[in-house]
Amino acid sequence: MALTHRSPNLLKPLSAAALSLAQPLRRPFSSSSDDDTATLTVETSVPFTGHRCDPPSRAVETTPRELMSFFRDMAKMRRMEIAADSLYKAKLIRGFCHLYDGQEAVAVGMEAAITKKDCIITAYRDHCLFLGRGGTLVEAFAELMGRQAGCSKGKGGSMHFYKKDSRFYGGHGIVGAQVPLGCGLAFAQKYSKEEHVTFALYGDGAANQGQLFEALNMAALWDLPAILVCENNHYGMGTAEWRAAKSPAYYKRGDYVPGLKVDGMDALAVKQACKFAKEHALKNGPIILEMDTYRYHGHSMSDPGSTYRTRDEITGVRQERDPIERIRKLVLSHELATEKELKDIEKEIRKEVDEAIAKAKESPMPDPSELFTNVYVKGYGVETKANGNLRLEQIGKKSQLYSLEADSGKISNPLPQEIGRRVLNINADL
């Protein structure tokens, strides 16, 4: 049975801005020239709300090129997630899978305000953030399907995307555990005297985790350049925020730490907020950003997403707050592109996604020996393969030889019960 108590804030940003349905996204707009690098000034849908800080201006500077890139990038993210849904239902993706469709404005807006030298760390809803950091569709789909060409070599799956060269540190499955790690990254940046920051993302469900407050306390004590981003999609798994949090004003949760509430469905508002937060964190230490956003899918693929909320609620958010439609209507109303040109872009993206899936399927599954790699730091529990066998060299302890019999063809399943038994034996020896 769907809950009858619905958060009054889900549809509030547009009504608060007194936007009509006839012209839902036409905003004050100015331009100095017609080329795609001209500086445009666009007003955010609603004002920012600050806690212990003066909010930034609602006037956001952008360019036609940036707006078009927002549309393309969000459309690509949306299509990737829809395709992942189909692959999961076809049993080509196994295990946990959490989709990001509806929340794309957070990913693209944040990237527009920072550089690849700034760090990002997030929870398990990580596919689109990986794409925003410069990851490819092939790497994403290959990882989702557990293939060698995946960004984590097929060993991480949906929840553990990773791209170290762009300072994207995952993809974490333990609720809230990425926040202390993010503060650790910020500590390293300050220790190294870097002029960069770390964005640690978490959901409203994780906002009640004790480790979050412990990490925030340390970050405040040491004035770390840490930006905690609460992606408030209003449901922690199947629990509405009003049932889990006595105070759902997450941007105020830091008490002594400044905070800012942002319309997380408005890519330009996210960009402005992240730019403001980065400047603040480099000078004054941590800050909390609460992104008011919404997910269209359920919590994970095992959740239909309609038992604890009404279909009318989901439809209403799609119609009034969809981040891609915001940009589409902004582009069209100021004649930066035609409807046909935008539809052609979406067709190109569908083709690009289909080609990436086909290429990802060609990638082989990881070799069985990969079961034992990337467990220890190199040199501390080294794994080597010799003569079709896997040798575990244990520092300070006797070495033992365990044959996987993979090369002989006796093992057809990459993770047979026999291997599991031998792994247990190894662990017992260690």
Side-chain angles (χ1 to χ4, degrees):
M1 180 182 295
L3 296 174
T4 56
H5 186 300
R6 188 176 82 175
S7 172
N9 296 319
L10 293 180
L11 303 178
K12 189 175 181 180
L14 288 183
S15 59
L19 298 175
S20 68
L21 291 177
Q23 291 181 318
L25 293 168
R26 192 170 183 86
R27 305 173 184 163
F29 175 94
S30 63
S31 172
S32 57
S33 66
D34 294 329
D35 64 80
D36 63 357
T37 59
T39 300
L40 314 176
T41 302
V42 181
E43 190 172 88
T44 62
S45 56
V46 292
F48 300 100
T49 306
H51 167 68
R52 291 184 178 269
C53 67
D54 294 324
S57 169
R58 292 179 62 184
V60 186
E61 290 188 352
T62 184
T63 64
R65 177 181 294 176
E66 182 176 68
L67 291 175
M68 292 302 296
S69 73
F70 280 2
F71 179 82
R72 179 180 289 275
D73 292 344
M74 287 196 290
K76 184 184 294 186
M77 292 173 180
R78 179 73 57 87
R79 190 65 192 175
M80 175 181 71
E81 297 295 67
I82 291 172
D85 174 280
S86 298
L87 290 170
Y88 194 94
K89 290 172 180 175
K91 297 185 178 181
L92 291 171
I93 297 175
R94 301 292 186 126
F96 295 103
C97 185
H98 306 81
L99 302 181
Y100 201 73
D101 49 322
Q103 301 182 207
E104 299 92 346
V106 177
V108 300
M110 181 169 58
E111 285 293 344
I114 63 178
T115 73
K116 293 299 188 289
K117 291 186 178 180
D118 295 306
C119 300
I120 296 178
I121 188 167
T122 189
Y124 35 77
R125 209 176 301 278
D126 57 357
H127 312 158
C128 294
L129 292 165
F130 168 77
L131 215 61
R133 288 268 89 181
T136 68
L137 287 170
V138 173
E139 290 174 318
F141 284 119
E143 190 59 42
L144 286 168
M145 292 187 284
R147 310 296 177 117
Q148 288 182 15
C151 58
S152 298
K153 300 181 180 180
K155 298 168 64 175
S158 170
M159 298 196 294
H160 301 289
F161 278 35
Y162 191 76
K163 188 172 175 57
K164 187 179 179 181
D165 58 352
S166 295
R167 298 198 175 187
F168 178 62
Y169 293 98
H172 293 265
I174 300 176
V175 176
Q178 71 278 8
V179 177
L181 297 178
C183 291
L185 290 168
F187 177 83
Q189 289 169 323
K190 183 165 185 175
Y191 185 85
S192 302
K193 295 181 171 58
E194 296 180 16
E195 288 297 309
H196 307 299
V197 300
T198 294
F199 287 80
L201 285 74
Y202 58 97
D204 52 288
N208 299 318
Q209 285 282 318
Q211 58 188 323
L212 188 150
F213 294 95
E214 295 174 34
L216 183 60
N217 178 61
M218 295 175 71
L221 277 173
W222 299 337
D223 294 327
L224 301 183
I227 300 167
L228 275 63
V229 182
C230 177
E231 292 185 282
N232 181 10
N233 59 28
H234 302 280
Y235 296 95
M237 296 186 71
T239 303
E241 60 178 342
W242 61 270
R243 297 188 67 180
K246 182 64 177 177
S247 173
Y250 299 106
Y251 69 105
K252 295 181 179 179
R253 286 286 191 92
D255 186 17
Y256 43 82
V257 174
L260 193 68
K261 186 170 184 179
V262 186
D263 182 359
M265 305 292 270
D266 183 345
L268 291 169
V270 174
K271 172 190 169 182
Q272 187 83 327
C274 290
K275 180 182 177 182
F276 172 83
K278 179 175 178 178
E279 293 172 354
H280 172 94
L282 289 173
K283 294 178 182 177
N284 306 305
I287 184 172
I288 297 175
L289 299 180
E290 179 186 343
M291 301 292 180
D292 180 6
T293 185
Y294 197 81
R295 58 169 165 79
Y296 295 148
H297 266 86
H299 170 73
S300 66
M301 288 302 298
S302 61
D303 170 22
S306 57
T307 57
Y308 48 85
R309 56 184 182 176
T310 65
R311 295 191 182 278
D312 287 344
E313 176 184 303
I314 302 170
T315 302
V317 175
R318 280 185 180 274
Q319 291 176 346
E320 297 190 37
R321 298 186 63 203
D322 185 82
I324 299 177
E325 292 307 307
R326 283 181 184 271
I327 297 297
R328 184 197 303 272
K329 291 174 183 177
L330 185 62
V331 166
L332 292 175
S333 64
H334 300 292
E335 300 179 349
L336 302 181
T338 65
E339 183 67 53
K340 183 181 183 303
E341 288 171 332
L342 295 182
K343 286 186 179 295
D344 287 343
I345 289 173
E346 291 174 313
K347 288 180 182 178
E348 291 173 11
I349 289 170
R350 283 196 291 272
K351 181 180 178 182
E352 185 180 350
V353 167
D354 291 343
E355 290 174 350
I357 292 171
K359 190 170 182 180
K361 287 179 179 178
E362 294 174 358
S363 177
M365 295 290 185
D367 187 270
S369 64
E370 287 293 317
L371 178 67
F372 300 99
T373 62
N374 307 119
V375 177
Y376 300 100
V377 173
K378 189 175 181 180
Y380 295 89
V382 181
E383 309 91 343
T384 60
K385 189 175 182 182
N387 299 323
N389 297 314
L390 189 69
R391 181 181 296 275
L392 302 181
E393 298 174 2
Q394 305 169 38
I395 305 301
K397 295 191 176 185
K398 64 178 182 178
S399 296
Q400 296 188 19
L401 190 65
Y402 294 91
S403 173
L404 294 182
E405 300 176 342
D407 293 342
S408 65
K410 295 180 181 179
I411 295 178
S412 58
N413 188 330
L415 295 175
Q417 184 177 2
E418 177 62 16
I419 291 181
R421 184 183 66 78
R422 295 180 185 183
V423 171
L424 291 175
N425 290 338
I426 295 169
N427 289 336
D429 291 342
L430 290 175

